[in-house]
Amino acid sequence: MKMLTEGISIQSYDGHTFGALVGSPAKAPAPVIVIAQEIFGVNAFMRETVSWLVDQGYAAVCPDLYARQAPGTALDPQDEAQREQAYKLWQAFDMEAGVGDLEAAIRYARHQPHSNGKVALVGYCLGGALAFLVAAKGYVDRAVGYYGVGLEKQLNEVPEVKHPALFHMGGQDHFVPAPSRQLITEGFGANPLLQVHWYEEAGHSFARTSSPGYVASAAALANERTLDFLAPLQSKKP
Protein backbone atom coordinates (compact mmCIF):
# COMPACT_ATOMS: atom_id res chain seq x y z
CA MET A 1 0.00 0.00 0.00
CA LYS A 2 1.44 3.37 -0.97
CA MET A 3 1.79 6.13 1.62
CA LEU A 4 2.21 9.92 1.50
CA THR A 5 3.99 11.35 4.53
CA GLU A 6 4.40 14.97 5.62
CA GLY A 7 6.34 16.47 8.50
CA ILE A 8 9.71 15.23 7.19
CA SER A 9 12.68 17.44 8.13
CA ILE A 10 15.87 17.54 6.04
CA GLN A 11 19.03 19.47 6.88
CA SER A 12 20.92 21.26 4.11
CA TYR A 13 24.62 22.00 3.72
CA ASP A 14 24.50 25.24 5.72
CA GLY A 15 22.36 24.01 8.62
CA HIS A 16 19.08 25.18 7.09
CA THR A 17 16.24 22.71 7.57
CA PHE A 18 13.24 22.25 5.32
CA GLY A 19 10.22 20.01 5.02
CA ALA A 20 9.27 17.54 2.32
CA LEU A 21 6.38 15.45 1.12
CA VAL A 22 7.46 11.79 0.90
CA GLY A 23 5.70 9.03 -1.00
CA SER A 24 6.42 5.34 -0.41
CA PRO A 25 5.51 2.70 -3.01
CA ALA A 26 3.71 -0.55 -2.31
CA LYS A 27 6.91 -2.54 -2.91
CA ALA A 28 10.39 -1.70 -1.64
CA PRO A 29 13.26 -1.24 -2.11
CA ALA A 30 12.70 1.10 -5.03
CA PRO A 31 14.44 3.98 -6.81
CA VAL A 32 13.65 7.38 -5.33
CA ILE A 33 12.56 10.35 -7.43
CA VAL A 34 13.23 13.78 -5.95
CA ILE A 35 10.66 16.19 -7.38
CA ALA A 36 11.65 19.84 -7.79
CA GLN A 37 8.69 22.18 -7.58
CA GLU A 38 7.33 24.80 -9.94
CA ILE A 39 7.28 28.41 -8.76
CA PHE A 40 4.03 27.67 -6.89
CA GLY A 41 5.59 25.58 -4.12
CA VAL A 42 4.57 22.11 -3.00
CA ASN A 43 1.01 22.54 -4.23
CA ALA A 44 -1.70 20.28 -5.61
CA PHE A 45 0.18 19.51 -8.84
CA MET A 46 3.31 18.50 -6.93
CA ARG A 47 1.18 16.19 -4.78
CA GLU A 48 -0.37 14.77 -7.93
CA THR A 49 3.13 14.19 -9.32
CA VAL A 50 4.30 12.43 -6.17
CA SER A 51 1.26 10.16 -6.31
CA TRP A 52 1.78 9.46 -10.03
CA LEU A 53 5.40 8.38 -9.55
CA VAL A 54 4.58 6.28 -6.49
CA ASP A 55 1.92 4.50 -8.55
CA GLN A 56 4.68 3.69 -11.06
CA GLY A 57 6.67 1.90 -8.36
CA TYR A 58 9.00 4.71 -7.27
CA ALA A 59 9.51 6.30 -3.90
CA ALA A 60 9.27 10.09 -4.09
CA VAL A 61 10.52 13.09 -2.13
CA CYS A 62 9.22 16.59 -2.89
CA PRO A 63 11.19 19.13 -0.81
CA ASP A 64 9.94 22.58 0.14
CA LEU A 65 12.38 24.71 -1.82
CA TYR A 66 10.71 27.91 -0.66
CA ALA A 67 11.39 27.14 3.00
CA ARG A 68 14.10 29.81 3.13
CA GLN A 69 11.57 32.45 2.01
CA ALA A 70 8.06 31.26 2.87
CA PRO A 71 7.85 27.77 4.38
CA GLY A 72 4.82 25.72 3.44
CA THR A 73 4.03 27.67 0.26
CA ALA A 74 1.36 25.92 -1.82
CA LEU A 75 -0.12 28.32 -4.36
CA ASP A 76 -2.94 27.99 -6.87
CA PRO A 77 -1.67 29.08 -10.32
CA GLN A 78 -5.23 29.86 -11.40
CA ASP A 79 -5.59 32.54 -8.71
CA GLU A 80 -4.22 35.87 -9.97
CA ALA A 81 -3.04 37.12 -6.56
CA GLN A 82 -1.33 33.82 -5.84
CA ARG A 83 0.33 33.87 -9.26
CA GLU A 84 1.76 37.29 -8.44
CA GLN A 85 3.02 35.95 -5.12
CA ALA A 86 4.67 33.04 -6.95
CA TYR A 87 6.45 35.36 -9.40
CA LYS A 88 7.83 37.42 -6.50
CA LEU A 89 9.09 34.29 -4.75
CA TRP A 90 10.65 33.10 -8.00
CA GLN A 91 12.43 36.40 -8.60
CA ALA A 92 13.89 36.32 -5.08
CA PHE A 93 14.83 32.63 -5.22
CA ASP A 94 18.50 31.76 -4.62
CA MET A 95 19.36 29.16 -7.28
CA GLU A 96 22.65 28.19 -5.64
CA ALA A 97 20.92 27.56 -2.31
CA GLY A 98 18.20 25.65 -4.17
CA VAL A 99 20.77 23.33 -5.72
CA GLY A 100 22.26 22.79 -2.27
CA ASP A 101 18.88 22.00 -0.77
CA LEU A 102 18.17 19.52 -3.56
CA GLU A 103 21.54 17.87 -2.93
CA ALA A 104 20.47 17.43 0.71
CA ALA A 105 17.12 15.97 -0.40
CA ILE A 106 18.94 13.59 -2.76
CA ARG A 107 21.28 12.48 0.04
CA TYR A 108 18.26 11.93 2.29
CA ALA A 109 16.51 9.95 -0.46
CA ARG A 110 19.48 7.74 -1.25
CA HIS A 111 19.76 6.54 2.34
CA GLN A 112 16.11 5.87 3.12
CA PRO A 113 15.17 2.29 4.10
CA HIS A 114 12.83 1.99 1.12
CA SER A 115 15.52 3.15 -1.35
CA ASN A 116 17.46 0.82 -3.64
CA GLY A 117 20.24 3.42 -3.67
CA LYS A 118 19.33 4.94 -7.03
CA VAL A 119 18.00 8.50 -7.19
CA ALA A 120 16.67 10.63 -10.03
CA LEU A 121 15.41 14.21 -10.11
CA VAL A 122 12.28 15.33 -11.94
CA GLY A 123 11.69 19.09 -12.02
CA TYR A 124 9.11 21.47 -13.48
CA CYS A 125 9.56 25.12 -14.51
CA LEU A 126 11.85 26.46 -11.75
CA GLY A 127 12.52 22.81 -10.95
CA GLY A 128 13.29 22.12 -14.61
CA ALA A 129 16.12 24.64 -14.52
CA LEU A 130 17.32 23.22 -11.21
CA ALA A 131 17.27 19.71 -12.72
CA PHE A 132 19.92 20.77 -15.22
CA LEU A 133 22.12 22.38 -12.57
CA VAL A 134 21.81 19.32 -10.31
CA ALA A 135 22.68 17.06 -13.26
CA ALA A 136 25.80 19.15 -13.87
CA LYS A 137 26.82 18.60 -10.24
CA GLY A 138 26.54 14.83 -10.65
CA TYR A 139 24.26 14.40 -7.65
CA VAL A 140 21.75 12.07 -9.35
CA ASP A 141 21.76 8.96 -11.52
CA ARG A 142 19.28 10.54 -13.95
CA ALA A 143 17.56 13.92 -14.29
CA VAL A 144 14.41 15.08 -16.08
CA GLY A 145 13.34 18.67 -16.57
CA TYR A 146 10.03 19.99 -17.86
CA TYR A 147 10.04 23.49 -19.43
CA GLY A 148 13.02 24.79 -17.49
CA VAL A 149 13.43 28.55 -17.81
CA GLY A 150 16.86 30.07 -18.39
CA LEU A 151 18.64 26.94 -19.60
CA GLU A 152 20.32 28.94 -22.37
CA LYS A 153 22.15 30.92 -19.65
CA GLN A 154 23.64 27.76 -18.11
CA LEU A 155 25.13 26.12 -21.20
CA ASN A 156 28.66 26.45 -19.83
CA GLU A 157 27.63 23.55 -17.54
CA VAL A 158 26.88 21.18 -20.46
CA PRO A 159 30.30 19.42 -20.34
CA GLU A 160 29.83 18.76 -16.61
CA VAL A 161 26.80 16.50 -17.09
CA LYS A 162 28.08 12.94 -16.56
CA HIS A 163 24.77 11.04 -16.18
CA PRO A 164 21.78 10.87 -18.56
CA ALA A 165 19.46 13.88 -18.49
CA LEU A 166 16.21 14.45 -20.40
CA PHE A 167 14.39 17.73 -21.00
CA HIS A 168 10.87 18.46 -22.28
CA MET A 169 10.37 21.93 -23.74
CA GLY A 170 7.39 23.69 -25.27
CA GLY A 171 8.00 24.96 -28.78
CA GLN A 172 5.64 27.87 -28.07
CA ASP A 173 6.94 28.65 -24.56
CA HIS A 174 6.91 32.45 -24.20
CA PHE A 175 9.63 32.20 -21.54
CA VAL A 176 11.92 30.51 -24.08
CA PRO A 177 11.97 32.57 -27.31
CA ALA A 178 13.25 31.20 -30.61
CA PRO A 179 16.89 32.33 -30.16
CA SER A 180 16.98 30.62 -26.75
CA ARG A 181 15.50 27.46 -28.23
CA GLN A 182 18.25 27.37 -30.83
CA LEU A 183 20.97 27.91 -28.22
CA ILE A 184 19.60 25.11 -26.04
CA THR A 185 19.31 22.67 -28.94
CA GLU A 186 22.84 23.37 -30.14
CA GLY A 187 24.32 23.47 -26.64
CA PHE A 188 22.76 20.24 -25.46
CA GLY A 189 23.82 18.60 -28.72
CA ALA A 190 27.44 18.87 -27.57
CA ASN A 191 26.89 16.25 -24.85
CA PRO A 192 25.42 12.85 -25.86
CA LEU A 193 24.10 12.34 -22.33
CA LEU A 194 21.68 15.23 -22.79
CA GLN A 195 18.37 14.85 -24.62
CA VAL A 196 15.91 17.62 -25.36
CA HIS A 197 12.47 17.16 -26.93
CA TRP A 198 10.55 20.13 -28.30
CA TYR A 199 6.76 19.88 -28.32
CA GLU A 200 5.94 22.31 -31.08
CA GLU A 201 2.22 22.60 -30.29
CA ALA A 202 2.85 23.33 -26.61
CA GLY A 203 3.73 26.35 -24.52
CA HIS A 204 4.84 26.72 -20.94
CA SER A 205 3.34 24.42 -18.27
CA PHE A 206 1.94 22.10 -20.94
CA ALA A 207 2.19 19.06 -18.63
CA ARG A 208 0.40 20.60 -15.63
CA THR A 209 -3.13 19.25 -15.64
CA SER A 210 -4.63 22.40 -14.09
CA SER A 211 -2.89 24.79 -16.48
CA PRO A 212 -4.76 26.74 -19.18
CA GLY A 213 -1.79 25.77 -21.33
CA TYR A 214 -2.20 22.04 -20.68
CA VAL A 215 -1.78 20.02 -23.88
CA ALA A 216 -2.92 16.47 -23.22
CA SER A 217 -1.13 14.88 -26.18
CA ALA A 218 2.20 16.58 -25.41
CA ALA A 219 1.89 15.83 -21.68
CA ALA A 220 1.13 12.17 -22.34
CA LEU A 221 4.11 11.80 -24.69
CA ALA A 222 6.46 13.65 -22.33
CA ASN A 223 5.35 11.54 -19.36
CA GLU A 224 5.72 8.34 -21.38
CA ARG A 225 9.24 9.35 -22.34
CA THR A 226 10.00 10.21 -18.73
CA LEU A 227 8.91 6.79 -17.47
CA ASP A 228 10.89 5.03 -20.21
CA PHE A 229 13.91 7.13 -19.29
CA LEU A 230 13.63 6.34 -15.58
CA ALA A 231 12.92 2.62 -16.07
CA PRO A 232 16.59 1.48 -15.92
CA LEU A 233 16.68 2.62 -12.30
CA GLN A 234 14.26 -0.19 -11.50
CA SER A 235 16.89 -2.73 -12.56
CA LYS A 236 18.48 -4.90 -9.88
CA LYS A 237 21.84 -4.43 -11.58
CA PRO A 238 24.24 -1.97 -9.91
Side-chain angles (χ1 to χ4, degrees):
M1 180 179 180
K2 74 176 183 180
M3 294 180 59
L4 298 183
T5 305
E6 300 186 67
I8 304 298
S9 182
I10 300 172
Q11 183 167 317
S12 195
Y13 64 98
D14 59 355
H16 165 70
T17 59
F18 56 90
L21 176 65
V22 174
S24 303
K27 294 182 180 180
V32 185
I33 312 300
V34 174
I35 300 165
Q37 67 188 50
E38 294 182 289
I39 66 172
F40 304 104
V42 184
N43 65 353
F45 179 62
M46 292 297 99
R47 291 173 177 274
E48 179 184 316
T49 304
V50 169
S51 186
W52 168 57
L53 288 168
V54 169
D55 285 342
Q56 304 303 316
Y58 297 95
V61 176
C62 187
D64 180 3
L65 298 180
Y66 278 162
R68 294 175 184 269
Q69 301 162 268
T73 295
L75 301 173
D76 179 357
Q78 298 193 68
D79 181 286
E80 184 176 354
Q82 293 189 40
R83 278 200 310 275
E84 289 301 317
Q85 184 181 350
Y87 289 135
K88 290 177 181 177
L89 287 167
W90 180 23
Q91 289 166 359
F93 186 77
D94 184 330
M95 293 291 283
E96 183 177 354
V99 170
D101 291 346
L102 283 170
E103 189 274 335
I106 291 160
R107 186 174 61 244
Y108 167 88
R110 204 178 291 279
H111 295 96
Q112 286 308 292
H114 52 244
S115 170
N116 70 356
K118 300 175 184 178
V119 179
L121 176 67
V122 175
Y124 298 80
C125 183
L126 167 63
L130 288 167
F132 175 70
L133 295 175
V134 166
K137 294 289 186 182
Y139 293 149
V140 286
D141 299 293
R142 294 194 165 220
V144 179
Y146 286 73
Y147 32 86
V149 177
L151 294 178
E152 72 279 5
K153 300 175 183 177
Q154 308 291 344
L155 295 176
N156 61 305
E157 299 285 353
V158 163
E160 303 304 316
V161 177
K162 302 297 194 296
H163 298 284
L166 169 67
F167 292 84
H168 305 294
M169 304 292 290
Q172 305 299 321
D173 191 333
H174 60 286
F175 290 114
V176 188
S180 297
R181 294 198 289 273
Q182 183 174 352
L183 287 171
I184 292 166
T185 299
E186 293 176 355
F188 279 24
N191 187 333
L193 293 170
L194 285 166
Q195 300 178 49
V196 58
H197 292 286
W198 295 96
Y199 301 81
E200 294 303 330
E201 74 280 24
H204 195 72
S205 71
F206 69 83
R208 189 200 322 133
T209 50
S210 63
S211 171
Y214 177 66
V215 179
S217 57
L221 179 56
N223 290 340
E224 179 183 355
R225 285 170 167 163
T226 292
L227 294 178
D228 287 345
F229 181 76
L230 296 175
L233 301 180
Q234 299 274 14
S235 170
K236 295 182 180 179
K237 296 179 182 180

